[in-house]
Amino acid sequence: MTACRIPRRAPAHARVAGAALLVSSFVAPVPLAAEPPATAGPPAAPAAASAPVPATSADALAWLAGAWIERRDGAVIEEQWMAPRGGVMLGMSRSTGPDGKVFFEFMRIAPSAAGLSYFALPLGREAAEFPLVALAGRRAVFENAAHDFPQRITYWLEEGGVLRARIEGAVDGTLQSAEYRWSRAGG
């Protein structure tokens, strides 16, 4: 999932995700409803309401590891996470639109001054940091209220092994979000 907003003159790519999560010319952000639809998965809790997060090692997110793929409207969205080692997880994503345009991002989940953070490097740019604000079972929420878009990245693993992700935040004063639903690649 893209964690940095691309200038308007370029295709509008934004991916989470490990988020990975992608908002691009082929998967556009949508206005954020007051309440997510029932199929949207667990809503993200605001950071202020979250209990302290004790995780300081990516080992707590081992459930994210693997190769994941989603095919949607002619686009292919792939995300891959290496299993934690030394308390760090490394990830990458690639999205290919129906027109053949490619977007990529490198990610890592690692210890930080905030405890544990998700670092996103869309298109190989400088990292944007999203500290972990909530972790419960197989659901993790990362937030950076000062970031342009997204400000929140949420991952969760559903029963049956489907990896879900949601990015959300304000774009020009309007709340927007995008969701992803990956299956294991090769499965």
Side-chain angles (χ1 to χ4, degrees):
M1 114 184 73
T2 288
C4 292
R5 195 162 152 202
I6 306 299
R8 289 182 186 272
R9 64 184 173 277
H13 289 76
R15 174 156 155 39
V16 107
L21 303 173
L22 165 75
V23 177
S24 72
S25 57
F26 44 91
V27 180
V30 295
L32 184 62
E35 298 221 5
T39 60
S50 299
V53 178
T56 57
S57 167
D59 294 349
L61 294 152
W63 50 266
L64 191 58
W68 305 92
I69 189 165
E70 176 181 8
R71 298 177 196 284
R72 183 191 324 174
D73 301 326
V76 177
I77 306 161
E78 301 166 282
E79 187 152 314
Q80 201 165 37
W81 285 96
M82 295 174 74
R85 188 174 313 265
V88 174
M89 290 184 77
L90 299 177
M92 60 184 168
S93 68
R94 174 178 58 190
S95 300
T96 309
D99 58 1
K101 288 184 182 175
V102 175
F103 174 81
F104 69 93
E105 179 176 51
F106 299 109
M107 300 95 61
R108 78 179 178 274
I109 298 173
S112 67
L116 188 65
S117 292
Y118 177 103
F119 296 89
L121 295 87
L123 300 170
R125 294 184 177 162
E126 185 175 328
E129 180 179 356
F130 296 81
L132 180 67
V133 296
L135 178 62
R138 293 181 172 187
R139 179 178 178 273
V141 180
F142 302 89
E143 282 189 1
N144 178 342
H147 193 262
D148 53 8
F149 183 83
Q151 288 95 39
R152 179 181 294 147
I153 301 167
T154 305
Y155 282 94
W156 67 96
L157 187 62
E158 293 182 338
E159 293 296 322
V162 173
L163 180 64
R164 301 288 303 270
R166 177 181 175 99
I167 58 173
E168 55 193 327
V171 175
D172 297 328
T174 302
L175 292 177
Q176 300 207 8
S177 68
E179 290 201 19
Y180 307 88
R181 187 177 201 279
W182 294 286
S183 298
R184 289 221 180 255

